Amino acid sequence: MTLPNAPLVPLGWQTIGPFFPRTFFSEGDNDLTRLAPNAEPTAQGQPIILRGRVLQEGGGPCVNAVLEAWQADAHGHFRHPADPNHAKADAGFMGWGRAWTDADGAYDFRTILPGGYTDATGTRAPHINLGIIGSGIMRRLVTTLYFPAFAGANAADPVLTVLPAELRPRLVVQPDGEQDGTPVFRFDILLRGEPHEETPFFLD
Amino acid sequence: MDQLPPDLFGPYDEHTQPQVPIEHYGNTVTRNPRRAPFRRPVTRSEVTGPLDLTAKLRPGDINLAVVDGKPAQGQLIWVSGRILDEDGRGVSGAIVEMWQANAGGRYFNPLDQRDAPLDPNFIGNGRCQADAQGNYGFFTIKPGAYPVPNSNRWWRPPHIHFSILGPASLSRLVTQMYFPGEPLNVPDLLILSIADREAQQRLISRPVPTQQVEGEWLAFRHDMVVRGRHATPPL
Ligand SMILES: [Fe+3]
């Protein structure tokens, strides 16, 4: 007997398996700065490129992993009603993108440097949320990326500080030069490895 | 949006979710962390998410069973249901992606090198946007079973892969839908990776009595509950 208003149970996750359709990807899906592939990129914020590799146990590439990124706009606002400041959000910024890894395990995103914000949990440092799905990954693996320029904010971030201090630097992206004048940051992900190498993930 | 998105997100009940590793599926070892995930507070970036994905993930692809006017091989089926949150409210505007093998159990994907025939009239993937009540539906054909390579003859039962993007980052769901009464469901290692028997059964669609189906196809109903509750429950 289900009582009135008794919650339903979320469905079980299952892996995407090895055959997630390539035709699901379109040009520009990995560009968070545009609302649509043919839209102009947002005029607000510092454009950046985020790139890295997804590696599996032993250090080999994790091929055909799907990465989904979500972040605030340059001022730390989300264009979503759960953000009390959503009316102030950048109307030209998508904030979401999807990338998939190639034979080398490599991925890249184009986005802007996110802003931080304060909510009931504290003051969030600028960050990008990343979800990873792939063959053999039965439930999405989630982690969060931080930027080296905000050491003070990172040290107070209510999510990053959940990690033991020695693991926190693992979630800070590394500056990696420029591409056509746009700063590049690198974030390699090791899905499984020795404790000091494996990427920290959060309970989804 | 005709309603506010959910604002309460508890952790999953582990008994209702798959556990790894899974025998004969090496990637469930090499691609899953050793370290337990860290419990984090739920902040604004987890309860928000993109609401206007249709420009990127284009919907409108709900008939997989016909390509250029030519019907695909296999049993024509209509798979439909609702995307619901934990309060049973329809998830308005959710993006629903699906993909599957053809009637012979082979994927169109070039990575599937199995020696089973490809069907030129079956590509095998679709995407739609749920309506204001969370309804979705696809015309397709019933997929065939296929063996997992190097697995001591583990055959995957007929299944459809689903990927759902709801109103919050935390309402994301990737799952597989199975068919009622399939003998291969019983020993399937992916279904069995979920401990709770009721949660296993919820992965299996319900047959629609043929008298209730409007045309010459079989129909299956499959509601999919994504995470999220409302601080103010429905009356
Ligand atoms: Fe499959």
Side-chain angles (χ1 to χ4, degrees):
Chain A
M1 257 281 289
T2 307
L3 298 167
N5 293 339
L8 302 176
V9 181
L11 204 56
W13 276 73
Q14 299 269 276
T15 178
I16 60 172
F19 305 127
F20 190 81
R22 296 182 181 196
T23 49
F24 276 173
F25 294 93
S26 307
E27 179 82 29
D29 280 354
N30 61 345
D31 186 344
L32 284 69
T33 69
R34 297 169 204 263
L35 296 176
N38 53 357
E40 286 295 311
T42 177
Q44 299 182 29
Q46 167 64 55
I48 59 170
I49 290 166
L50 174 69
R51 67 163 68 116
R53 294 176 73 206
V54 182
L55 307 171
Q56 56 193 36
E57 185 175 46
C62 180
V63 181
N64 288 323
V66 179
L67 295 92
E68 292 172 345
W70 172 244
Q71 66 167 71
D73 71 13
H75 303 288
H77 302 141
F78 297 95
R79 207 158 34 79
H80 185 282
D83 185 342
N85 296 317
H86 71 270
K88 294 186 219 159
D90 177 358
F93 180 63
M94 182 73 200
W96 185 90
R98 179 188 268 177
W100 57 318
T101 58
D102 63 14
D104 226 16
Y107 72 91
D108 64 273
F109 288 104
R110 174 176 287 270
T111 186
I112 51 106
L113 197 62
Y117 59 86
T118 299
D119 68 11
T121 64
T123 298
R124 297 298 318 268
H127 65 278
I128 301 176
N129 281 354
L130 209 55
I132 304 162
I133 51 182
S135 178
I137 299 174
M138 292 299 290
R139 285 159 74 177
R140 177 174 71 162
L141 298 172
V142 294
T143 193
T144 302
L145 322 188
Y146 295 85
F147 293 87
F150 304 102
N154 291 347
D157 182 84
V159 171
L160 187 58
T161 51
V162 160
L163 301 184
E166 69 273 16
L167 287 179
R168 294 176 199 165
R170 295 284 291 106
L171 296 188
V172 179
V173 300
Q174 300 296 315
D176 193 20
E178 290 189 351
Q179 181 176 310
D180 302 328
T182 303
V184 177
F185 293 97
R186 169 163 284 276
F187 186 74
D188 292 332
I189 298 162
L190 180 63
L191 300 176
R192 184 185 187 84
E194 298 301 321
H196 63 284
E197 300 171 331
E198 187 178 283
T199 300
F201 294 99
F202 296 101
L203 191 63
D204 192 16
Chain B
M1 296 286 294
D2 61 338
Q3 61 192 40
L4 277 176
D7 52 2
L8 295 177
F9 294 89
Y12 286 109
D13 176 350
E14 289 296 318
H15 292 283
T16 67
Q17 294 294 328
Q19 303 298 318
V20 290
I22 295 170
E23 195 186 7
H24 302 305
Y25 196 171
N27 286 341
T28 64
V29 177
T30 58
R31 295 177 172 182
N32 282 290
R34 287 182 184 158
R35 192 194 290 121
F38 293 94
R39 180 89 182 263
R40 64 180 172 186
V42 174
T43 78
R44 211 172 273 164
S45 60
E46 287 84 34
V47 301
T48 56
L51 295 177
D52 49 4
L53 275 172
T54 55
K56 275 193 161 177
L57 305 182
R58 292 225 171 81
D61 202 2
I62 69 153
N63 190 347
L64 289 71
V66 176
V67 170
D68 293 335
K70 299 191 196 90
Q73 300 277 346
Q75 172 59 56
L76 181 62
I77 62 173
W78 166 246
V79 176
S80 66
R82 289 180 76 201
I83 310 301
L84 301 168
D85 67 21
E86 292 176 67
D87 288 320
R89 300 191 198 199
V91 179
S92 169
I95 299 287
V96 183
E97 301 175 304
M98 58 84 94
W99 66 104
Q100 63 169 83
N102 68 21
R106 177 152 176 204
Y107 286 84
F108 184 80
N109 193 311
L111 292 172
D112 189 352
Q113 290 294 319
R114 188 173 156 241
D115 183 19
L118 276 174
D119 177 351
N121 300 322
F122 191 71
I123 308 298
N125 57 72
R127 185 188 284 139
C128 73
Q129 185 173 34
D131 70 12
Q133 287 76 45
N135 291 294
Y136 76 92
F138 294 95
F139 272 109
T140 182
I141 53 94
K142 188 173 172 194
Y146 59 86
V148 178
N150 311 314
S151 68
N152 192 29
R153 298 185 189 149
W154 166 26
W155 280 66
R156 293 306 325 284
H159 62 276
I160 297 178
H161 294 263
F162 277 102
S163 151
I164 299 160
L165 295 108
S169 183
L170 287 176
S171 48
R172 185 85 173 91
L173 176 69
V174 177
T175 186
Q176 298 182 26
M177 184 203 93
Y178 301 90
F179 291 85
E182 291 288 332
L184 289 171
N185 287 344
V186 178
D188 182 63
L189 297 175
L190 296 197
I191 296 177
L192 291 173
S193 72
I194 295 174
D196 183 76
R197 195 159 159 76
E198 287 180 31
Q200 294 173 4
Q201 295 303 311
R202 281 194 289 270
L203 299 177
I204 301 173
S205 56
R206 285 184 295 118
V208 178
T210 53
Q211 294 78 7
Q212 294 172 19
V213 180
E214 295 159 25
E216 291 192 345
W217 49 82
L218 296 178
F220 297 89
R221 288 288 295 179
H222 193 54
D223 293 341
M224 293 186 272
V225 178
V226 300
R227 200 157 40 149
R229 296 204 68 191
H230 296 262
T232 310
L235 292 173

